[in-house]
Amino acid sequence: MLSLLWLVPALPLAGFVLLALLGSHLNRRASAWLGVGSVVLSAIVTLLLAASFLTSPPAEGGYVQTLWTWIDAGGFSPQISFQLDALSLIMILVVTFVGALIHLYSAEFMLDEEGYGRFFAYMNLFVGSMLLLVLADNLLLLYLGWEGVGLCSYLLIGFWYRDPANGRAARKAFIVTRVGDTAMAIGLFLLFTQLGTLDIQEMLGRASAQWAAGSGLAIAAAALLLGGAVGKSAQLPLQTWLPDAMAGPTPVSALIHAATMVTAGVYLIARTHPLFVLAPPVMLVTALIGAITLLLAGFSALVQRDIKRVLAYSTISQIGYMFLALGVGAWSAAMFHFMTHAFFKALLFLGAGVIIISLHHEHDMFKMGGLRREMPALFWTFLIGGASLSAVPLVTAGFYSKDLILWKAWSSGPGGPWLWAAGLLGALLTASYTFRMVFLTFYRQPQELVRESTPLPWPGWRLLVPLVILAVLSVVGGFVEVPATLGGLPLFSEFLQAVLPDAGEAHASIGLEALLQFISALVVAGGIYAAYLLTLRRPQIAERLAGSPIGATMHRLWFAGWGFDWLYDRAVVRPYVALAQVNRGDVVDLFFTALARLATALHRMLSRTQTGRLRWYAAGIAFGAVILIVLAVLL
């Protein structure tokens, strides 16, 4: 059964090829069957592989399937080869299953849009590229998938390309992530030149054998890979592209945030974690980046009006939790939160999409309200997703994954309590902005747009089924890692233990862990109450705070994402444009232009000697012969 592994990425890629070649000749029904069906089949194959993997686990190191040698030159021979182990199995289960639900949702959501077949071609390529990335057993093939998801993000964010703003958002995502991708490419060159291979397992083994912990080469290699991860996963300081990526269709946002693209950086660090263990300063930086990012993004989410931008900043913040876990060596905790986040964030984006199309593509939450009566099925599924994002205790998947990260942060060492405090403040912010979104959208009095649009259309089954399935997973998905304080078993971390052994052991008691869980639960309840107070019961308090000089300043700062776009525009974009204006003639080309002009001038001089008069040719030959004889005699 494991020999079918190649079908997992091949099916979505085949769907892309067929849609790209035949898309203009297919009707919408055929395009949907091809686009959705290829990913659904990939998900079915993945489930069969998971069953086979669990019943007959492969030998240590996982199952490796080599299809062919990609390149063979100068001792460099990377292969098209896939590795299936516990980590890659979790990844492909999430990517294919959540991707299939998003594709099914898209079949109805995009039905009236121009470029229906083109949309599914891009989506299939997106899923196929992500599957290549997570299954690759060498870093070169991983980098191919890495660049593939970058290309697809550009194509899908700018899908509605007739609007110049969408084109700008797509270019911004592509260019900003290029910064991280360049760092990663340099890191791959460094690893190959120093270790002689890009095969992941062999490279990690050689690194552990040849590099001491804290060595300069280990730190440089890990830092460069971290740069790539920061760009793809939208962490500080390269987080600015993700909020603008909301210009794409809502299913694209769900796919980018839940199953592909932004989680690639988390996977890269987890897959190469032995290299990061050799670079303690880089692990510390990773934890700090995660802690700072989750706080800054959480504050920004508090003041957004666009429902999709709230979710975008939320994703940046939740990926920050994953980076925090990676930085303290809690590898399995990071992957656990990746899985639960995929469920509830896909659910929230798809739910937001239903709201947006029902209200004539309106995104402003302050123009909504009262939707819990108009759209009860959507309300309950969205509420479950919001509760899981907020980590409501005991009954949501998000509680178990986020609590595990907070516990691992606390017990990670001397700086652990500070990282725990940052995560706890992030939990307060998460509960506040999430339920602010829920209250504004579903509980507040219906605004004029809602009153004019009622009765709102009931979502079709292709919209509703993915919401219900994801809502169930947003509840039960956390029960695979129930902490001992609640009488559970760490099944998820035990499953990943062979691939991702956590760094170090907890240095505190079960009683302390229970106390920290109780504090976390109180903080979440406080965040929900604060959202209720400032949104529904006493909105005038929020208005007064926003109207004060300090409040207005902070509101503008948070709303603008802490001014990073403003800073980059003045520090990078404008100087670059000014330099380009000065260099219109291209200084580098001046030398080559001068050579070309010199050659042209010499050609013109020589061409004047070609008069066609034989007497002058004979005289020239004689004159030249005399000069040569004189030179021969004298020298």
Side-chain angles (χ1 to χ4, degrees):
M1 181 61 68
L2 294 181
S3 60
L4 298 178
L5 180 61
W6 66 276
L7 284 174
V8 175
L11 286 167
L13 293 175
F16 158 71
V17 171
L18 292 174
L19 285 165
L21 294 177
L22 305 176
S24 59
H25 304 289
L26 298 175
N27 58 30
R28 291 175 182 264
R29 184 181 180 85
S31 297
W33 272 101
L34 192 55
V36 178
S38 61
V39 182
V40 170
L41 288 175
S42 181
I44 292 172
V45 172
T46 301
L47 290 174
L48 295 175
L49 290 170
S52 178
F53 189 94
L54 293 173
T55 55
S56 302
E60 186 176 352
Y63 172 74
V64 176
Q65 183 179 48
T66 301
L67 301 181
W68 65 82
T69 298
W70 185 4
I71 302 169
D72 191 358
F76 180 55
S77 54
Q79 297 173 321
I80 303 297
S81 184
F82 303 132
Q83 179 182 13
L84 184 66
D85 57 13
L87 176 57
S88 57
L89 179 60
I90 293 294
M91 292 296 299
I92 62 174
L93 280 169
V94 172
V95 172
T96 57
F97 192 75
V98 175
L101 293 176
I102 294 172
H103 273 70
L104 177 63
Y105 175 98
S106 303
E108 183 169 338
F109 186 91
M110 299 295 293
L111 193 58
D112 298 326
E113 297 292 340
E114 181 184 359
Y116 193 72
R118 175 168 59 91
F119 175 81
F120 278 107
Y122 294 164
M123 292 282 277
N124 277 192
L125 181 59
F126 208 167
V127 172
S129 297
M130 188 66 186
L131 291 171
L132 277 180
L133 190 159
V134 299
L135 286 173
D137 87 326
N138 65 81
L139 289 174
L140 188 62
L141 185 58
L142 184 150
Y143 193 68
L144 177 66
W146 187 275
E147 293 301 318
V149 295
L151 170 64
C152 293
S153 69
Y154 168 77
L155 295 173
L156 285 165
I157 293 169
F159 180 76
W160 289 318
Y161 59 88
R162 298 184 190 277
D163 186 345
N166 296 340
R168 286 193 296 271
R171 291 192 297 274
K172 180 178 181 181
F174 194 74
I175 293 169
V176 172
T177 55
R178 285 298 89 192
V179 178
D181 294 352
T182 302
M184 181 179 173
I186 297 171
L188 298 190
F189 282 116
L190 174 63
L191 289 169
F192 180 73
T193 56
Q194 296 299 317
L195 301 175
T197 182
L198 288 179
D199 178 271
I200 294 174
Q201 298 306 318
E202 188 175 353
M203 180 271 294
L204 295 176
R206 292 185 185 182
S208 299
Q210 298 178 23
W211 293 344
S215 69
L217 287 174
I219 291 173
L224 289 167
L225 293 185
L226 175 61
V230 162
K232 269 297 187 282
S233 293
Q235 297 294 284
L236 284 171
L238 300 178
Q239 82 287 2
T240 57
W241 66 270
L242 194 58
D244 290 351
M246 298 303 96
T250 299
V252 174
S253 302
L255 193 60
I256 289 176
H257 290 247
T260 62
M261 187 71 173
V262 297
T263 57
V266 177
Y267 170 77
L268 175 67
I269 296 176
R271 175 58 75 190
T272 59
H273 71 275
L275 185 61
F276 282 79
V277 171
L278 296 174
V282 179
M283 287 191 64
L284 176 60
V285 170
T286 304
L288 291 175
I289 286 175
I292 296 170
T293 301
L294 72 88
L295 290 176
L296 296 188
F299 281 113
S300 290
L302 274 177
V303 298
Q304 301 300 313
R305 298 178 64 96
D306 186 325
I307 188 170
K308 286 180 65 177
R309 288 183 74 89
V310 173
L311 295 175
Y313 280 110
S314 168
T315 297
I316 298 173
S317 182
Q318 297 307 303
I319 299 292
Y321 274 104
M322 299 177 208
F323 269 64
L324 172 59
L326 294 169
V328 299
W331 319 111
S332 59
M335 298 312 300
F336 184 35
H337 196 55
F338 150 76
M339 184 183 73
T340 61
H341 176 263
F343 299 149
F344 61 69
K345 188 52 62 69
L347 171 59
L348 290 169
F349 265 110
L350 298 185
V354 174
I355 295 171
I356 289 166
I357 59 173
S358 299
L359 297 179
H360 315 294
H361 296 278
E362 180 57 65
H363 290 224
D364 191 341
M365 296 183 296
F366 286 83
K367 297 182 180 179
M368 301 176 187
L371 295 182
R372 76 181 188 280
R373 299 187 187 91
E374 301 295 331
M375 311 177 80
L378 173 65
F379 163 67
W380 286 109
T381 55
F382 197 93
L383 181 62
I384 290 171
S388 191
L389 170 59
S390 302
V392 171
L394 303 181
V395 294
T396 64
F399 165 74
Y400 295 103
S401 59
K402 190 176 292 184
D403 177 75
L404 182 60
I405 291 175
L406 292 177
W407 169 241
K408 293 292 186 180
W410 174 276
S411 56
S412 62
W418 291 103
L419 296 174
W420 171 83
L424 192 67
L425 178 55
L428 175 67
L429 296 173
T430 302
S432 297
Y433 68 66
T434 301
F435 275 86
R436 169 181 177 265
M437 174 176 61
V438 171
F439 293 145
L440 286 175
T441 306
F442 293 99
Y443 278 90
R444 218 166 48 119
Q445 288 298 316
Q447 302 302 297
E448 182 179 356
L449 175 64
V450 177
R451 294 195 298 270
E452 291 176 352
S453 302
T454 52
L456 297 176
W458 186 265
W461 72 270
R462 288 176 295 185
L463 298 180
L464 195 56
V465 167
L467 296 179
V468 173
I469 294 174
L470 289 168
V472 172
L473 291 173
S474 296
V475 175
V476 304
F479 297 154
V480 297
E481 186 77 14
V482 178
T485 55
L486 299 174
L489 295 173
L491 300 178
F492 188 87
S493 58
E494 286 184 0
F495 178 66
L496 286 174
Q497 184 67 27
V499 184
L500 297 176
D502 283 352
E505 298 291 336
H507 300 292
S509 65
I510 291 180
L512 178 58
E513 183 179 0
L515 175 62
L516 296 180
Q517 288 172 345
F518 179 71
I519 294 172
S520 176
L522 288 180
V523 166
V524 169
I528 296 173
Y529 179 75
Y532 165 74
L533 180 68
L534 298 177
T535 304
L536 296 180
R537 188 170 182 179
R538 300 283 180 84
Q540 61 272 18
I541 296 177
E543 293 172 2
R544 285 200 299 270
L545 288 173
S548 66
I550 296 177
T553 301
M554 297 308 298
H555 186 282
R556 287 194 301 271
L557 184 63
W558 295 350
F559 187 81
W562 294 86
F564 277 90
D565 282 317
W566 179 89
L567 175 63
Y568 293 159
D569 181 62
R570 283 155 179 78
V572 179
V573 177
R574 292 189 182 182
Y576 184 85
V577 171
L579 183 61
Q581 293 290 337
V582 171
N583 192 33
R584 276 178 173 272
D586 198 340
V587 173
V588 175
D589 276 355
L590 286 180
F591 174 73
F592 301 101
T593 302
L595 284 180
R597 289 178 177 175
L598 177 61
T600 301
L602 292 174
H603 161 73
R604 288 173 179 169
M605 291 174 59
L606 291 173
S607 65
R608 291 177 181 175
T609 65
Q610 305 303 308
T611 61
R613 298 176 180 176
L614 293 177
R615 290 179 300 171
W616 284 102
Y617 292 167
I621 293 171
F623 182 70
V626 170
I627 292 176
L628 288 175
I629 292 170
V630 171
L631 290 175
V633 171
L634 294 177
L635 299 178

